[in-house]
């Protein structure tokens, strides 16, 4: 478990370092584009007993079982939200359904007695994946074509 934790921390550090844009003090910051807010087909679906163990499911239009992206948000396992800023539209347009999960943060995992506390968010992600796979037929998901992704801590959980 210690090696997995170190690997996850290293991956989080590298993902932030590799994706950082160079700073140019001469240019004004670019305004963020306005993005339409997507509504999930299913919202706040519990995948465990803790109130934070919930997910939103965005269904892609497909006649056959669709691949799925399991999205795990970033935030250092201390903050963040499963609510998208609109980035899921491209996946849905490509015929890929999305399950965006919420999970216990470090303080909640600590309160639940998880040792080390990072075990809480990591195991929540694994539990969410198992839950989504159990819903494959009902949600029209190809359970053999599931990928995980996320930013920062979500990327670490995806790698784990």
């Amino acid at each position: 478990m210690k090696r997995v934790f170190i690997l996850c921390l290293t991956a989080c550090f590298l993902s932030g370092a590799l994706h950082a844009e160079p700073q140019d003090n001469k240019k004004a910051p670019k305004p963020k584009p306005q993005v339409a807010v997507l509504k999930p087909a299913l919202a706040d679906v519990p995948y465990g007993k803790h109130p934070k163990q919930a997910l939103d499911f965005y269904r892609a239009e497909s006649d056959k079982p669709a691949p799925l992206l399991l999205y795990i948000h970033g935030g250092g396992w201390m903050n963040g939200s499963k609510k998208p800023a609109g980035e899921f539209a491209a996946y849905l347009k490509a015929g890929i359904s999305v399950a965006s999960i919420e999970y216990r943060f470090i303080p909640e995992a600590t309160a639940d007695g998880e040792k080390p506390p990072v075990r809480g968010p990591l195991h929540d992600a694994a539990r969410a994946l198992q839950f989504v796979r159990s819903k494959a037929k009902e949600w029209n998901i190809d359970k053999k074509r599931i990928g995980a992704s996320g930013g920062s801590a979500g990327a670490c959980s995806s790698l784990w």
Side-chain angles (χ1 to χ4, degrees):
M1 184 69 180
K2 184 177 179 181
R3 287 183 183 173
V4 170
F5 179 68
I6 291 170
L7 175 65
C8 286
L9 288 178
T10 303
C12 286
F13 172 76
L14 290 177
S15 69
L18 294 176
H19 296 293
E21 294 187 21
Q23 297 293 323
D24 185 358
N25 294 334
K26 296 178 185 175
K27 293 183 181 178
K30 294 178 184 178
K32 291 187 179 185
Q34 295 290 331
V35 180
V37 176
L38 295 173
K39 295 200 181 214
L42 300 168
D44 297 318
V45 179
Y47 65 84
K49 294 179 182 178
H50 193 279
K52 282 282 196 76
Q53 293 172 325
L55 62 84
D56 290 344
F57 176 68
Y58 300 82
R59 185 185 321 262
E61 296 294 324
S62 179
D63 296 336
K64 57 185 179 186
L68 177 89
L69 168 67
L70 182 71
Y71 181 78
I72 307 166
H73 70 80
W77 297 303
M78 294 291 289
N79 57 52
S81 171
K82 64 181 168 51
K83 302 295 180 199
E87 65 268 19
F88 298 157
Y91 293 107
L92 296 172
K93 186 176 179 181
I96 301 168
S97 293
V98 178
S100 181
I101 72 165
E102 193 61 73
Y103 53 83
R104 292 174 293 166
F105 296 149
I106 296 294
E108 293 144 342
T110 300
D112 289 345
E114 296 284 359
K115 291 183 183 178
V118 72
R119 182 179 171 137
L122 292 175
H123 284 209
D124 286 0
R127 183 180 186 95
L129 175 60
Q130 290 172 332
F131 175 79
V132 169
R133 285 176 53 85
S134 78
K135 296 292 188 179
K137 188 170 184 169
E138 182 181 340
W139 292 358
N140 197 34
I141 295 167
D142 182 347
K143 64 181 177 180
K144 293 183 180 179
R145 297 192 304 159
I146 296 176
S149 180
S152 187
C156 291
S157 296
S158 297
L159 286 171
W160 182 79

